[in-house]
Amino acid sequence: MCGIVGFVGHHQAAPILLDGLSKLEYRGYDSAGLAVRDGEADPVLVKAKGRLQILSDKTDGGKTVVGSCGVGHTRWATHGEPSENNAHPHCSDDHNVVGVHNGIIENYQELKEKLVRNGYSFYSDTDTEVAIKMVDYYYKKYKMGPIDALAKTMVRVRGSYALAVMFKEYPGEIYAARKDSPMIIGVTNGESYLASDVPAVLKYTRDVYYIGNLEMARLTEGKAEFYDLNGDQIEKPLVEIKWDAEAAEKGGYEHFMMKEIHEQPKAVLDTINSMIRYKDEVGEDGTKISGKAFIDLASIGITDEIIRGIHQIHIVACGSAYHVGMAAQYVIEDLARIPVRVELGSEFRYRSLLLDPNDLVVVISQSGETADSLAALREAKDKGVRTLAIVNVVGSSIAREADHVFYTLAGPEIAVATTKGYLTQLVACYILGIQCGIVKGQIPDDKAAELIQELNTLPGKISKILDDKERIQWFAAKFASARDIFFIGRGLDYAICMEGSLKMKEISYVHSEAYAAGELKHGTISLIEEGTLVIGVLTQKALFEKTMSNLVETGSRGAYLANVTTYGNYSVEDSTDFTIYVPKTDEHFAATLAVIPLQLLGYYVACARGLDVDKPRNLAKSVTVE
Ligand code: G6P
């Protein structure tokens, strides 16, 4: 996790570093620090435990730290507790090398022992201090300059890193190295920036370089040079970021999460539009059909021939993206009759995989940087299996390494709990499922047209649900002090429950569980007490009565019964206490609508409990460690 920034230019660095870090706080927020150099002087290091605001207060918004070259860090602790001592930047004892790091150095114990044998001592519990001192060691041993010292360190270190360091003898310069952890470099008139993610630099420049794996960079005022592991200079294209800085601001909402919930209609529409084309056709009876919609996956290189050859699909993902996979499994199997397996990234990579060359591995990830998902992707590629990434962040590691990339067009997502990322991933899976169904001869023409038309109605239907959010706010206030909440459903509704339950627990800290409704009776029902909130999700007609009777069973044991169902199912009101209706849609697409009230419920319960919705404790948005 963690977020890193760097700046060198004509302005004071500290306020710019603090501003950049404030855009990266979603990556970690248990301590922060910065190191700034004024000309040739030694760097000034300031660190603080807790939120970035504490560091900002300590430095009067950065004003008390003078200098125009520096690096900064916001931390999500992995090695060593959150403390000022463990906070970055870390430095060698003589301040020769000072730097910040995002990632994990796996063999840091072994490297530490080597350094101790060579006279080094350590003041923190972090793997980063070891990495910085390793750089210092090679710098002094070989006396061949910063790039050489970094390259030698990179060869010795196992793990992942985005590293930004300053060397005493190179004032006005920042050196960077990267493997598996994200990092971009931005340049503009006389100034250079470095960050873990685009929002941190967007206010200053839209021109960025994506530094590749096992590559290094040297930043000077307004210039960036890149090097490979041999120390040879390499060229990189400058990429223009299309979305503007406002997209990464709260825009009047109290929290990013609420803003992002409201951006869902547009995000879904944009994602659908990216793959739907229109053409004029002549029907069998000779009549002209104008503007017939069809799915075109040519831009991502998924041809009909590829689809025809697919025997099985493996969806691999983590967190909410895994829940997308669970929903997609029902949808794709039903529409295309292709067997689909869904696996957690962290499990997939450590299993003896039975992958066939005719399989397709689909990795779903908002950030495109989740370490377990990335490792799973590599595993699949090593086995020679075709990979498709469904990713939101352009240029992220998973996007770059997959054979095919379907970009969800959600725009930047800042709140730790995903909403629009999840929804757009679902839509991408629907599009994939429909196209597979068409090509595999499972979906006739008229049905395909109907499904595509229905997809286009989803943004409007999402907006309609959002219009009625005050009712959910009222309901959330009533259950703000709940101890346990259960979400139950069958089939696709169970997949929706999983996401609803995760939204609830991750931001409100209320214990919640998603359960396949039919499984309740095998143990979990013993947890139901007088007043326990049980929420049934009932969008699938064929499963409606079964789930309803499971819900009522919990009611007869004292549970308070709520449910999310579609308009028209008014009979639910006879047996449950509170109902949230969502518009009707094709049942395959139900998750897109039914999840919205559950997102809102989690959000409002967290607000009613006075919690920091955008930055829940112990979590980070982008999990770049195993
Ligand atoms: C973290 C986030 C989740 C997200 C998961 C996977 O745990 O808090 O919201 O679903 O990572 O992230 P990815 O970027 O791979 O979708």
Side-chain angles (χ1 to χ4, degrees):
M1 330 283 180
C2 309
I4 66 169
V5 290
F7 170 79
V8 50
H10 303 314
H11 291 90
Q12 288 299 304
I16 293 173
L17 296 174
L18 286 171
D19 178 56
L21 289 176
S22 73
K23 305 289 190 309
L24 298 180
E25 244 195 320
Y26 71 87
R27 302 179 63 85
Y29 32 84
D30 56 34
S31 55
L34 41 86
V36 173
R37 289 191 76 178
D38 188 13
E40 301 198 353
D42 268 6
V44 173
L45 267 80
V46 193
K47 307 183 192 191
K49 182 182 168 194
R51 292 284 164 95
L52 184 64
Q53 189 58 42
I54 302 173
L55 180 69
S56 180
D57 291 347
K58 206 168 169 180
T59 58
D60 192 12
K63 287 195 209 92
T64 59
V65 187
V66 177
S68 58
C69 179
V71 293
H73 189 267
T74 179
R75 182 167 186 247
W76 189 84
T78 53
H79 290 71
E81 54 161 16
S83 68
E84 205 168 303
N85 197 39
N86 287 331
H88 301 207
H90 287 287
C91 61
S92 57
D93 299 340
D94 54 1
H95 283 183
N96 179 44
V97 183
V98 55
V100 290
H101 162 229
N102 167 35
I104 295 262
I105 308 296
E106 285 166 5
N107 57 339
Y108 81 105
Q109 278 299 2
E110 168 202 328
L111 299 178
K112 194 170 182 173
E113 281 159 27
K114 171 186 166 73
L115 288 168
V116 168
R117 283 196 302 275
N118 282 280
Y120 282 81
S121 59
F122 290 85
Y123 58 84
S124 78
D125 308 319
T126 65
D127 52 340
T128 303
E129 188 189 351
V130 176
I132 296 293
K133 290 184 173 170
M134 222 39 221
V135 176
D136 179 67
Y137 168 77
Y138 284 125
Y139 181 82
K140 287 173 178 154
K141 182 169 177 190
Y142 292 102
K143 298 185 176 61
M144 283 176 67
I147 291 292
D148 177 70
L150 277 174
K152 291 205 158 56
T153 307
M154 287 162 86
V155 171
R156 281 306 303 269
V157 155
R158 278 201 315 275
S160 61
Y161 47 82
L163 201 59
V165 289
M166 298 187 291
F167 291 80
K168 196 177 199 156
E169 291 170 324
Y170 293 80
E173 300 187 13
I174 298 172
Y175 288 83
R178 171 178 184 267
K179 179 177 172 273
D180 292 347
S181 295
M183 175 159 58
I184 52 111
I185 285 164
V187 288
T188 180
N189 285 344
E191 326 232 284
S192 297
Y193 303 82
L194 165 158
S196 299
D197 198 359
V198 171
V201 305
L202 214 48
K203 197 162 144 187
Y204 311 101
T205 179
R206 293 210 198 151
D207 294 330
V208 303
Y209 295 103
Y210 288 99
I211 174 168
N213 247 354
L214 291 173
E215 288 177 357
M216 293 166 283
R218 169 178 174 258
L219 275 71
T220 50
E221 290 179 353
K223 211 172 150 207
E225 288 165 2
F226 297 89
Y227 299 86
D228 64 15
L229 212 46
N230 298 321
D232 293 330
Q233 204 169 331
I234 48 176
E235 293 300 319
K236 295 220 141 268
L238 199 56
V239 180
E240 191 196 343
I241 301 292
K242 298 275 192 258
W243 41 273
D244 58 25
E246 233 173 64
E249 303 290 341
K250 277 191 215 155
Y253 287 94
E254 198 178 340
H255 299 103
F256 277 112
M257 183 175 173
M258 193 43 127
K259 178 187 173 231
E260 289 159 7
I261 286 175
H262 278 86
E263 284 169 347
Q264 294 184 113
K266 180 171 183 319
V268 165
L269 183 68
D270 289 348
T271 305
I272 294 170
N273 283 344
S274 70
M275 295 295 160
I276 306 279
R277 307 272 175 272
Y278 297 88
K279 65 177 174 198
D280 293 339
E281 244 185 26
V282 180
E284 278 172 15
D285 57 358
T287 51
K288 193 177 165 211
I289 311 164
S290 55
K292 188 180 169 199
F294 68 102
I295 293 170
D296 181 9
L297 299 183
S299 62
I300 61 172
I302 298 284
T303 60
D304 290 359
E305 198 191 335
I306 292 175
I307 292 177
R308 269 191 286 275
I310 300 173
H311 285 181
Q312 187 173 11
I313 294 177
H314 302 258
I315 300 180
V316 192
C318 302
S320 294
Y322 172 73
H323 299 156
V324 169
M326 290 298 292
Q329 179 183 38
Y330 293 107
V331 175
I332 299 174
E333 286 195 338
D334 199 50
L335 289 176
R337 311 306 297 162
I338 300 174
V340 179
R341 265 188 90 133
V342 191
E343 301 212 43
L344 292 163
S346 52
E347 293 293 320
F348 182 87
R349 57 186 298 193
Y350 294 118
R351 219 161 41 76
S352 160
L353 295 167
L354 293 172
L355 294 177
D356 185 276
N358 294 311
D359 291 350
L360 174 70
V361 170
V362 180
V363 178
I364 307 177
S365 173
Q366 187 285 128
S367 63
E369 299 294 348
T370 301
D372 287 320
S373 303
L374 179 60
L377 173 86
R378 289 178 179 162
E379 199 68 37
K381 287 190 76 177
D382 279 354
K383 297 242 163 1
V385 180
R386 186 183 296 279
T387 55
L388 163 67
I390 296 179
V391 167
N392 192 42
V393 177
V394 177
S396 54
S397 302
I398 293 175
R400 276 183 286 149
E401 293 187 28
D403 300 316
H404 308 269
V405 190
F406 186 149
Y407 278 117
T408 53
L409 300 183
E413 193 178 61
I414 311 292
V416 166
T418 180
T419 52
K420 59 177 182 169
Y422 168 88
L423 228 62
T424 50
Q425 289 163 353
L426 270 180
V427 166
C429 291
Y430 299 160
I431 292 173
L432 180 69
I434 297 171
Q435 188 62 5
C436 287
I438 295 170
V439 175
K440 292 266 188 188
Q442 298 293 332
I443 303 180
D445 256 19
D446 50 345
K447 182 68 189 166
E450 240 174 62
L451 288 168
I452 295 173
Q453 198 181 356
E454 188 54 34
L455 274 184
N456 281 320
T457 68
L458 292 175
K461 290 175 179 171
I462 298 166
S463 299
K464 190 165 187 299
I465 302 169
L466 293 174
D467 288 345
D468 201 21
K469 59 180 186 295
E470 280 71 25
R471 240 184 117 239
I472 299 169
Q473 185 172 18
W474 169 84
F475 180 67
K478 199 170 146 74
F479 281 94
S481 51
R483 201 184 59 187
D484 307 291
I485 301 179
F486 294 87
F487 295 78
I488 64 167
R490 287 170 183 249
L492 190 52
D493 287 336
Y494 172 43
I496 301 169
C497 287
M498 292 171 102
E499 178 59 7
S501 170
L502 180 62
K503 286 282 97 60
M504 178 59 70
K505 72 182 107 182
E506 68 179 332
I507 55 174
S508 77
Y509 315 151
V510 174
H511 166 249
S512 74
E513 282 189 42
Y515 237 75
E519 269 297 293
L520 269 182
K521 55 185 174 291
H522 297 296
T524 307
I525 199 161
S526 66
L527 296 171
I528 305 296
E529 291 175 356
E530 195 61 37
T532 304
L533 175 59
V534 180
I535 302 176
V537 177
L538 305 130
T539 68
Q540 306 292 301
K541 205 164 174 209
L543 304 169
F544 183 88
E545 279 178 10
K546 295 274 181 218
T547 304
M548 198 60 203
S549 77
N550 296 133
L551 195 59
V552 170
E553 274 166 40
T554 65
S556 63
R557 278 145 183 100
Y560 181 98
L561 303 186
N563 69 91
V564 178
T565 190
T566 44
Y567 283 105
N569 290 335
Y570 302 119
S571 64
V572 288
E573 293 191 21
D574 301 337
S575 352
T576 59
D577 303 301
F578 183 78
T579 302
I580 301 164
Y581 292 105
V582 295
K584 273 203 177 113
T585 183
D586 183 281
E587 287 190 2
H588 295 101
F589 307 152
T592 324
L593 303 182
V595 81
I596 310 277
L598 304 183
Q599 296 172 339
L600 289 167
L601 191 61
Y603 173 82
Y604 283 127
V605 169
C607 289
R609 290 163 72 95
L611 299 170
D612 188 345
V613 176
D614 286 336
K615 295 178 198 126
R617 70 184 176 207
N618 306 338
L619 295 178
K621 183 146 194 76
S622 178
V623 185
T624 51
V625 293
E626 274 185 52

